Amino acid sequence: MHVILTILKILGILLLVILGLLLAIVLSVLFVPVRYQLEGEKPSPGWSEANGKIRVSWLLHLIHLRIQYREKELDWECYFFCVPLKKAGAALKRWKKKRRRKKAQRRKEQRKQAAQKAAQKAAVERKEKEKPLQIEEKARTAEKEQRVEEKQIESERSKTTEPEAKEAKTAESETRKTDATITEKQDTDKPKETELTKTEPEKTENTPKKETISEKLSRFWNRCKKIIGSILGFPGKLKKKLTNIRLTFRGFCDKIKQWRTLWKEESTQAALHFLTEKGRKLIRHVLPRKIRGSITFGCEDPALTGQILGAVAIAYPLYGKGVAVYPRFEEKILEGNLRMRGRIVAACLLWQAWKIYRNPDVRKTLKKIR
C-alpha cells in the first residue's frame, strides 16, 4: 500500500509540474509584450547611403529577430533562446552535405565490392562452363567424322542406281504434260461471259449515283426553311436577351436598395461606431510609444514646402515633441534620422476582438449581410 501511495504522489507531482509549465507558457504568451524597435538614417546626397534596422524581441530577448539594411544589402538574424538560427541552419546544411558525401562514398564502395564479387563469380562460372564445352566439342568432331563417312557410302550407292532413276523421271514428266494439255483445252472451250459479268458489277459499284431533280429541289427547300426559321426566330431571341438584361439590372438595383436600407439602420450605425472606437484603440496600442529624431526637408518651390509642412503639422499628435522638423524653403533636400519603440500585448488584442465578437449590433449586421 505504501508503494502505491508513493507512485501516486510522484505521478501527481509530475502532473502538477506539467500543468504549471503549460500555465506559465500560456500566461507568458498572453501577457509578456512583444517589443519592437525601428531605426533609420538617410544622409543628404541620395538613397544609396540610407540605413535601416528593425528589432523584434520577446521574453527578455530569448526570442529575438534583427533585420538590417546597409549599403544596398539586406541581412537578418533570428535568435531562439540565444541560439542564432541562421548560423545553425548553415551548420545543419554543412552537416547534411557531409552526410550525403559519406553516403555517396559508401555507395561507391558497395558498388565496387559488388562488381568485384560479380567478376569473381563470372570467372568461376566460366571455368565451370569451359569443361562441358570441351567435352561437347569432342563429341561434335566425332559426329562430323561419322557423317562424312556416311556421305561417302551413300555417294557410292547412288552411282549404281542413277540410270534407273532417270527412266522413272522421264515417264512421270510425259504423263504430266498430257494432263496439262487436256486442262488447257477445257478452259478454252468455256464461254467468256463470266469475265464480262465480273467486270460489270465492279464498274457499277465504283460509279457514283446521280441525284435526281426532285432530290435537289427537296434539299434546296430544306435550306430555305432553315434560313426563314432563323430570321423569324431572331426577334424572340432578342426579346429573351433583353428581358434577361432587365432582370439582372433590376436585381442589381434591388441589392443596392437593400444595402442602403441596411446602412441606414440604427444597428449598423451603432456597429460602425463601435468598430471605429475599437479600431482606434488597437491602432494606439500597436503604434510606437516613443519617437525620437530629426528631419530636414525642402523643395525648390516654397509653396510646396509649405503644403508639406502643413501636413506634417496635422500629424503632430502622432510623433509629439520627440521629432524636430526643419523646413528649407529654397533648397531641395531630405535628410534625417528616426528611432521608434513600441510594444504589443496579445491579451489586449484578444480582449478587443472578444468585445467586437460579443457586441449584439455587430452580430445583427453580420447576420443580415450573410
Side-chain angles (χ1 to χ4, degrees):
M1 191 70 183
H2 182 69
V3 175
I4 293 164
L5 289 170
T6 52
I7 291 163
L8 289 170
K9 280 181 184 178
I10 291 161
L11 290 171
I13 291 161
L14 288 170
L15 286 170
L16 287 170
V17 169
I18 291 162
L19 289 169
L21 286 169
L22 289 171
L23 185 66
I25 290 163
V26 171
L27 291 172
S28 62
V29 168
L30 288 173
F31 294 103
V32 175
V34 177
R35 300 180 184 277
Y36 65 89
Q37 186 176 354
L38 303 172
E39 293 180 5
E41 186 178 355
K42 185 201 172 291
S44 58
W47 292 95
S48 60
E49 296 179 359
N51 299 322
K53 194 184 287 185
I54 299 167
R55 292 179 183 176
V56 181
S57 62
W58 181 71
L59 198 66
L60 299 172
H61 291 271
L62 290 174
I63 296 168
H64 182 71
L65 176 66
R66 179 179 59 80
I67 300 165
Q68 189 173 1
Y69 178 79
R70 182 176 288 179
E71 294 178 358
K72 295 183 180 181
E73 289 183 0
L74 188 68
D75 188 18
W76 68 276
E77 189 62 66
C78 184
Y79 295 90
F80 186 76
F81 288 93
C82 300
V83 176
L85 294 179
K86 194 175 180 181
K87 291 180 181 178
L92 198 140
K93 285 180 181 178
R94 289 172 190 168
W95 179 73
K96 283 183 179 178
K97 284 181 181 177
K98 286 180 182 179
R99 194 177 178 184
R100 286 174 186 170
R101 286 175 185 172
K102 286 180 180 179
K103 283 183 179 179
Q105 287 177 358
R106 285 177 186 173
R107 286 174 184 173
K108 285 181 181 178
E109 289 176 357
Q110 287 175 0
R111 286 174 185 172
K112 285 180 182 178
Q113 289 175 1
Q116 288 175 359
K117 287 179 181 178
Q120 289 175 359
K121 285 182 181 179
V124 172
E125 288 176 356
R126 284 174 187 173
K127 286 179 182 178
E128 290 177 353
K129 286 179 180 178
E130 282 175 358
K131 292 178 181 178
L133 287 169
Q134 289 174 358
I135 294 161
E136 287 178 358
E137 285 177 358
K138 288 178 181 178
R140 285 175 185 173
T141 53
E143 286 177 358
K144 285 179 182 179
E145 289 175 356
Q146 288 178 1
R147 286 175 185 174
V148 170
E149 290 176 356
E150 288 175 356
K151 284 179 181 179
Q152 288 176 358
I153 294 160
E154 286 177 357
S155 64
E156 290 175 356
R157 288 178 183 175
S158 62
K159 286 177 182 179
T160 56
T161 58
E162 277 180 359
E164 294 176 356
K166 284 179 180 180
E167 290 177 357
K169 285 180 181 179
T170 53
E172 286 178 358
S173 62
E174 287 176 357
T175 54
R176 285 176 184 173
K177 285 178 181 178
T178 55
D179 293 330
T181 53
I182 291 160
T183 53
E184 284 176 357
K185 287 178 181 180
Q186 288 176 359
D187 292 330
T188 53
D189 293 331
K190 287 181 182 179
K192 294 181 180 179
E193 291 178 356
T194 55
E195 294 177 356
L196 294 168
T197 55
K198 287 179 181 177
T199 55
E200 283 177 358
E202 288 177 356
K203 288 179 181 178
T204 55
E205 286 177 359
N206 292 322
T207 56
K209 292 180 180 180
K210 291 182 179 179
E211 289 183 352
T212 60
I213 295 163
S214 62
E215 288 177 353
K216 287 180 179 179
L217 289 169
S218 64
R219 192 173 64 184
F220 179 72
W221 179 245
N222 290 322
R223 285 182 181 176
C224 290
K225 276 183 180 179
K226 286 180 181 178
I227 292 161
I228 292 160
S230 62
I231 291 163
L232 293 171
F234 179 73
K237 290 178 181 178
L238 193 128
K239 188 178 179 181
K240 283 181 181 179
K241 286 181 180 179
L242 290 170
T243 52
N244 289 323
I245 291 161
R246 187 179 67 185
L247 289 169
T248 52
F249 185 72
R250 189 181 288 175
F252 184 69
C253 292
D254 292 333
K255 282 182 180 180
I256 289 166
K257 285 178 183 178
Q258 288 177 3
W259 283 104
R260 279 182 180 177
T261 53
L262 194 143
W263 180 264
K264 289 177 181 179
E265 285 181 359
E266 292 180 357
S267 61
T268 54
Q269 293 295 324
L272 287 169
H273 184 68
F274 181 77
L275 287 170
T276 51
E277 285 184 356
K278 297 299 174 185
R280 284 175 185 173
K281 286 182 180 179
L282 288 170
I283 290 163
R284 284 176 186 173
H285 181 73
V286 171
L287 284 173
R289 298 191 175 187
K290 290 182 181 180
I291 301 172
R292 297 284 184 274
S294 64
I295 297 167
T296 60
F297 70 95
C299 299
E300 292 178 356
D301 189 5
L304 185 61
T305 54
Q307 290 175 4
I308 293 164
L309 187 63
V312 170
I314 289 165
Y316 180 77
L318 294 173
Y319 59 86
K321 296 179 181 179
V323 180
V325 180
Y326 303 104
R328 300 277 181 88
F329 290 96
E330 295 178 356
E331 187 180 359
K332 189 177 180 180
I333 190 169
L334 180 62
E335 62 180 8
N337 54 6
L338 281 173
R339 291 181 182 179
M340 293 181 281
R341 289 183 182 180
R343 60 174 185 170
I344 300 165
V345 181
C348 293
L349 300 175
L350 291 171
W351 180 246
Q352 297 298 329
W354 176 253
K355 282 183 178 180
I356 291 163
Y357 176 73
R358 293 296 297 172
N359 192 8
D361 296 326
V362 175
R363 284 188 169 186
K364 282 180 184 178
T365 53
L366 288 171
K367 285 180 181 178
K368 287 175 183 178
I369 289 162
R370 288 174 185 174

